[in-house]
């Protein structure tokens, strides 16, 4: 099943996000690179961290290498340049520094394996992507090599491809449930344009928790909601329409707010990556009338599944794809290894 032809017509930058280590993210990246060659799509490839090494530097397990074809644009720090088996032409130095050297923007002149790494900061990744587009890239793939929450942020790319699989659980049902939970969170309803959104976006200190009442906004003396659920509860009275939390929404915050206040108050977040509530408790909250909207949600362009776990167990590939597709409806689901 092809993905890139439709994706490249709708999005310019795609982040590949793994639900966990060994979920098949690098395999998905290689699959998309192969497909780009077939579709004659000029790619730019970068990473929020480092990818393409033969052994995972965290888990010390074998991992797929990244093979790039001629004309592909890629980001490579200075200390990884000589490790590339591909022939690389240096187009320019980015002045973006990492622990393994300054990031260089290169063009592949001879196909081969490359260890990819790029800037960690979102603003630097954006600048690099813009440069790749200036050099002719039609689509840019951003490998999420550091953290699922940060790379999935809508500020990083136009959409994501989510990689999941057997590594999450020995239960196929649990794998499907947890993946569907993340997709549900990422697809949360965005706050409409209007008075409430204008109030939030017009505040000078955008990282402060705020309450909205009758067309007015009041910021609290809190910069984060961590450990402050009781204080938020005390400040929410009958006049409060909504509570804006720019940071993390955790179970400790929710548990400290009275149930009746949770039902009548709309909670607004910057984006879905701020939610740290598991699928079981989230479902309970929704059933009780808990309402959340986000300033910007996350588009999931596709989900890739890996039926194999490094722990030695596996699922039937077709069963995993079928069950995941039932749960995700219109989002394409594929096993890229198959």
């Amino acid at each position: 099943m092809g993905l890139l032809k439709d994706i490249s017509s709708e999005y310019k930058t795609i982040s590949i996000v793994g639900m966990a280590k060994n979920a098949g993210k690098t395999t998905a990246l290689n699959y998309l690179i192969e497909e780009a060659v077939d579709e004659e799509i000029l790619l730019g490839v970068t990473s929020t961290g480092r990818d393409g090494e033969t052994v995972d530097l965290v888990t010390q397990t074998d991992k797929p290498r990244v093979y790039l074809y001629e004309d592909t644009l890629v980001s490579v720090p200075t200390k990884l340049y000589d490790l590339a088996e591909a022939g690389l032409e240096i187009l320019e130095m980015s002045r973006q520094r990492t622990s393994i050297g300054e990031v260089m923007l290169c063009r592949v002149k001879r196909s081969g394996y490359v260890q990819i790494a790029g800037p960690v900061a979102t603003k630097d990744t954006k600048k690099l992507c813009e440069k790749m587009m200036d050099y002719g890239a039609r689509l840019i793939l951003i490998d999420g090599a550091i953290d699922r929450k940060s790379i999935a942020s809508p500020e990083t790319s136009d959409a994501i491809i989510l990689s999941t699989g057997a590594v999450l659980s020995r239960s196929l049902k649990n794998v499907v449930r947890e993946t569907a939970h993340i997709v549900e969170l990422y697809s949360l309803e965005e706050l409409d344009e209007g008075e409430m959104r204008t109030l939030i976006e017009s505040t000078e200190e955008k990282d402060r928790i705020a309450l909205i009442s009758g067309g007015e906004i009041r910021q609290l003396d809190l910069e984060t909601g961590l450990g402050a659920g009781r204080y938020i509860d005390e400040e929410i009275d009958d006049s409060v329409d909504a509570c804006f939390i720019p940071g993390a929404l955790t179970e400790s915050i929710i548990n400290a707010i009275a149930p009746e206040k949770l039902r009548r108050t709309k909670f607004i977040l910057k984006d879905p990556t701020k939610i740290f509530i598991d699928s079981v408790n989230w479902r309970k909250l929704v059933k009780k009338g808990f309402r959340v909207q986000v300033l910007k949600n996350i588009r999931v362009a596709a989900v890739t599944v890996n039926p194999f776990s490094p722990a030695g167990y596996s699922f039937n590939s077709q069963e995993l794809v079928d069950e995941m597709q039932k749960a995700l409806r219109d989002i394409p689901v594929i096993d890229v290894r198959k």
Side-chain angles (χ1 to χ4, degrees), residues 12-83:
K12 296 300 180 185
T13 55
I14 295 282
S15 294
I16 305 173
V17 180
M19 286 276 291
K21 285 282 185 183
N22 299 302
K25 176 178 57 61
T26 305
T27 301
L29 174 63
N30 281 324
Y31 170 86
L32 294 169
I33 291 169
E34 291 277 356
E35 195 171 296
V37 174
D38 294 339
E39 298 289 345
E40 298 184 345
I41 297 171
L42 179 59
L43 280 183
V45 182
T46 185
S47 174
T48 57
R50 178 177 179 177
D51 205 359
E53 64 272 23
T54 57
V55 176
D56 190 292
L57 299 180
V58 176
T59 63
Q60 296 301 307
T61 55
D62 292 338
K63 61 179 295 184
R65 303 168 75 190
V66 177
Y67 191 94
L68 298 181
Y69 295 87
E70 288 183 18
D71 294 329
T72 303
L73 300 166
V74 61
S75 64
V76 180
T78 50
K79 292 184 180 180
L80 296 183
Y81 180 79
D82 289 336
L83 299 179

Side-chain angles (χ1 to χ4, degrees), residues 211-246:
L211 301 179
I212 300 172
S213 307
E216 296 183 355
I217 189 167
R218 175 170 64 92
Q219 292 186 311
L220 305 183
D221 293 328
L222 296 168
E223 293 184 358
T224 175
L226 292 175
R230 184 173 300 177
Y231 182 71
I232 296 172
D233 176 68
E234 292 172 354
E235 294 295 316
I236 295 177
D237 58 28
D238 293 344
S239 68
V240 172
D241 301 310
C243 175
F244 172 63
I245 301 179

